[in-house]
Amino acid sequence: MTNITGMHHIAIQAKDYKATIKFYESLGLTVFHSWTLPEFNIEYAALLRIPGTSSFVEIFDKGANVATQGRRAQDGETPVAGALLHFSFTVKDATAAYHEAIAAGAASCVPPSVLFLGEPPMTVYNSLVYGLDGEVIEFIETLPG
C-alpha cells in the first residue's frame, strides 16, 4: 500500500534568513505562510510555495532547533555531508534557471548540460548551483526522447 501522495517541502536552515527568503523569491517562489515557535527557538520560519504546486521550500532562521541529519556545520565551515545530496526543481529552461540563480547570489556547481539516462531512455537538461546556505539545487528540464 502506498500512502505517499506527493512531496510537501524541503527544509533549509538559513545563515541569513532574510537573504535566503529573497534568494528563493528571486527564483519565483512566494511566501505562503510564516510563523514563530519559541519552544523550538524558532524566531523566523516560512513556507515558500513553488508556483502552481502544493510543494514548498521551508526556511528556518539560524538559531532554530529543528530536526536535522548529522551535526550542524559551524560558522564558516563547509556544510557537513549527509544522506541528502541535493534537491531538484523542474523548470522550463535549465540554462535560464541556472543564470537566474547565479545572478541572485548562488555559486556554480555544475553548468548546464544534457544527460542521457537509463531505460527507458530519458534525456534531461540540467544544471546545479550552491544556494546561499550551501544547499545543492538542481534545475531539471525533461527533453523529448
Side-chain angles (χ1 to χ4, degrees):
M1 179 173 98
T2 300
N3 194 29
I4 297 173
T5 61
M7 178 67 75
H8 188 269
H9 70 270
I10 300 292
I12 296 171
Q13 191 154 32
K15 295 173 188 169
D16 180 331
Y17 178 81
K18 290 180 181 179
T20 297
I21 295 290
K22 185 176 178 179
F23 173 74
Y24 282 97
E25 287 178 328
S26 75
L27 298 181
L29 282 70
T30 56
V31 175
F32 174 76
H33 182 72
S34 60
W35 67 95
T36 63
L37 201 57
E39 57 268 34
F40 290 98
N41 202 40
I42 298 169
E43 291 183 37
Y44 305 102
L47 281 175
L48 282 79
R49 183 189 296 264
I50 299 168
T53 75
S54 57
S55 298
F56 304 87
V57 173
E58 184 176 35
I59 309 294
F60 290 100
D61 68 271
K62 183 178 179 179
N65 185 17
V66 295
T68 186
Q69 176 191 22
R71 74 170 179 78
R72 298 178 194 284
Q74 301 299 310
D75 286 341
E77 180 182 29
T78 301
V80 179
L84 180 63
L85 301 175
H86 65 270
F87 62 90
S88 183
F89 292 122
T90 53
V91 296
K92 295 175 186 173
D93 184 330
T95 298
Y98 174 86
H99 291 295
E100 289 167 0
I102 298 293
S108 177
C109 180
V110 177
S113 62
V114 177
L115 301 174
F116 304 98
L117 305 174
E119 292 297 327
M122 180 179 9
T123 303
V124 298
Y125 201 41
N126 81 332
S127 59
L128 291 91
V129 298
Y130 295 104
L132 302 185
D133 301 293
E135 71 278 21
V136 178
I137 306 165
E138 179 181 23
F139 302 110
I140 191 162
E141 170 188 353
T142 304
L143 300 175

